[in-house]
């Protein structure tokens, strides 16, 4: 089922016809409309979960097969040199660099976001040994909260959970003298709110602290200017908007000015200055390479490398404009057609990432019913319907189809059916 039946008739259907026409006009005039053809998307489905698992680029299956059959199968251990497997983490990092606004040698791809956050937070906290407080936003992604607590425990520091809005007051009330490291997500995974990276970073720096930004829900959809904001460290996810595939490795950014002062805690051999000397004592490699720990997951890493080609030639400002146009249309259409559902995501363009979150008391069942109608979003506790708008491949007409499906689900009471009782393991 690609479009929902219209059950309300009358003026409602007229408004909806107008919305579809508006969407078709926007798609026809969209300078990035050709990008969707770079992806394999299931026929008849509206995929709005690209902020959870990005879609599969058309060229990736053949590239993965080449890596498996030729590099692994035929060239075997010689591939470390022949196909430069050894430097792949830095090489793929250099591709991520443009998406996050840093130089090619300031990013390395390794491990998961959670692990990179641990490495970056310990490294940053060690650079501020006389300051006690680590700041994180309440409601941040679970790993981010847990890792901050673990780092505080390990290094005998203290955690304060502060909303960005609470930060200026807290700094003025004495936090400024104690702030070691502040870590926030650029875009809130639940609400889709985009935080003011430049202003928050400047406030932390003015107090003498360092910052670690989590870009998991922004990079690849929202232009990120880490260098412009003077950010110290950042981490982010490879499998959401970057489309690297399930479990793709993550990345970690260290500003060049800090790199040779960094002591990260996972001192594995691939981050050593002379890995093949096999020395008994650890000595960190110069530059970003010291953020590596053990061997990279090459099949996933090279799939991510191939996937990142979907960004080739893509103007990131235009991509952002497209993302905002999609989310604006979604919000407008929800307001008009499903007014009983609350839009949680900020309406101001500058404060919105590339997803729209809607609040509904039976959000989980609504999401399941939408999926059964071919509109794939996801549910987040306690009552949020998340609709991700990956600007590389979501179209304006998809937004209209999704909102029409939502209207139809609610009109028919599909979400009240007993077949949607308990959340799945992965929601
Ligand atoms: C997706 C996401 C992660 C994922 O962490 P993994 O360790 O890669 O599973 C971490 N932080 C945020 C903010 C995320 O959105």
């Amino acid at each position: 089922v690609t479009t929902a039946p219209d059950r309300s008739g009358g003026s409602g259907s007229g408004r909806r016809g107008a919305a579809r026409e508006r969407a078709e006009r926007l798609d026809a005039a969209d300078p990035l409309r050709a990008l969707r053809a770079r992806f394999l998307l299931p026929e008849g489905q509206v995929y709005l979960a690209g902020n959870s698992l990005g879609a599969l680029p058309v060229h990736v299956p053949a590239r993965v097969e080449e890596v498996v059959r030729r590099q692994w199968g035929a060239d075997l251990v010689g591939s470390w040199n022949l196909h430069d497997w050894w430097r792949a983490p830095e090489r793929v990092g250099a591709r991520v660099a443009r998406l996050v606004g840093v130089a090619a040698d300031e990013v390395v791809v390794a491990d998961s976001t959670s692990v990179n956050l641990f490495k970056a937070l310990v490294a940053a906290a060690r650079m501020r040994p006389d300051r006690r407080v680590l700041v994180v936003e309440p409601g941040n992604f679970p790993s981010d909260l847990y890792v901050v607590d673990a780092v505080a425990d390990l290094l005998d520091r203290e955690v304060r959970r502060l909303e960005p809005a609470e930060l200026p007051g807290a700094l003025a009330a004495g936090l400024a003298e104690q702030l070691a490291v502040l870590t926030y997500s650029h875009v809130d995974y639940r609400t889709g709110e985009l935080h003011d990276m430049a202003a928050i970073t400047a406030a932390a720096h003015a107090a003498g602290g360092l910052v670690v930004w989590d870009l998991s829900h922004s990079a690849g959809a929202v232009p990120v200017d880490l260098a412009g904001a003077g950010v110290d460290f950042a981490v982010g996810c490879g499998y959401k908007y970057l489309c690297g595939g399930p479990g793709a490795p993550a990345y970690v950014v260290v500003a060049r000015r800090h790199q040779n002062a960094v002591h990260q805690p996972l001192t594995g051999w691939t981050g050593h200055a002379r890995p093949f000397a096999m020395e008994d004592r650890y000595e960190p490699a110069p530059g970003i390479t010291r953020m590596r720990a053990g061997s990279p997951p090459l099949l996933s890493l090279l799939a991510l490398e191939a996937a990142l080609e979907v960004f080739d030639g893509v103007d990131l400002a235009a991509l952002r404009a497209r993302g905002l146009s999609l989310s604006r249309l979604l919000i407008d259409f929800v307001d008009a057609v499903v007014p009983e559902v609350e839009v949680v995501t900020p309406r101001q363009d500058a404060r919105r990432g590339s997803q729209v979150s809607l609040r509904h008391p039976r959000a989980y069942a609504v999401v399941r019913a939408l999926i059964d109608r071919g509109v794939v979003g996801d549910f987040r506790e306690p009552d949020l319907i998340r609709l991700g708008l990956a600007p590389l491949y979501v179209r304006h007409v998809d937004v209209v189809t999704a909102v029409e499906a939502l209207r139809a689900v609610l009109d028919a009471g599909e979400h009240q059916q007993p077949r949607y009782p308990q959340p799945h393991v992965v929601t």
Side-chain angles (χ1 to χ4, degrees), residues 112-115 140-141 143-144 185 189 214 216-217 237 239-240 250:
S112 63
T113 307
S114 308
V115 172
N140 201 339
F141 192 82
S143 269
D144 299 55
S185 280
Y189 80 103
D214 190 327
S216 292
H217 280 276
C237 183
Y239 52 80
K240 293 171 182 156

Side-chain angles (χ1 to χ4, degrees), residues 166-290:
E166 297 172 315
L167 192 60
L171 286 168
L175 173 64
E177 288 70 44
Q178 285 302 317
L179 176 66
V181 185
L182 173 149
T183 186
Y184 281 168
S185 280
H186 193 198
V187 170
D188 184 297
Y189 80 103
R190 259 196 270 246
T191 64
E193 179 174 0
L194 173 67
H195 293 133
D196 186 342
M197 174 184 283
I200 293 170
T201 299
H205 284 171
L210 295 168
V211 294
V212 182
W213 282 94
D214 190 327
L215 310 176
S216 292
H217 280 276
S218 59
V222 174
V224 180
D225 184 10
L226 293 176
V231 169
D232 306 289
F233 296 84
V235 298
C237 183
Y239 52 80
K240 293 171 182 156
Y241 293 112
L242 301 197
C243 303
Y251 53 92
V252 54
V253 178
V254 182
R256 199 183 289 142
R257 65 184 180 280
H258 293 315
Q259 286 178 357
N260 291 337
V262 158
H263 293 284
Q264 65 99 344
L266 299 182
T267 50
W269 75 291
T270 71
H272 194 280
R274 293 168 299 278
F276 290 96
M278 306 278 168
E279 293 166 17
D280 283 357
R281 295 243 173 248
Y282 181 78
E283 183 188 319
I288 193 70
T289 296
R290 69 179 53 192

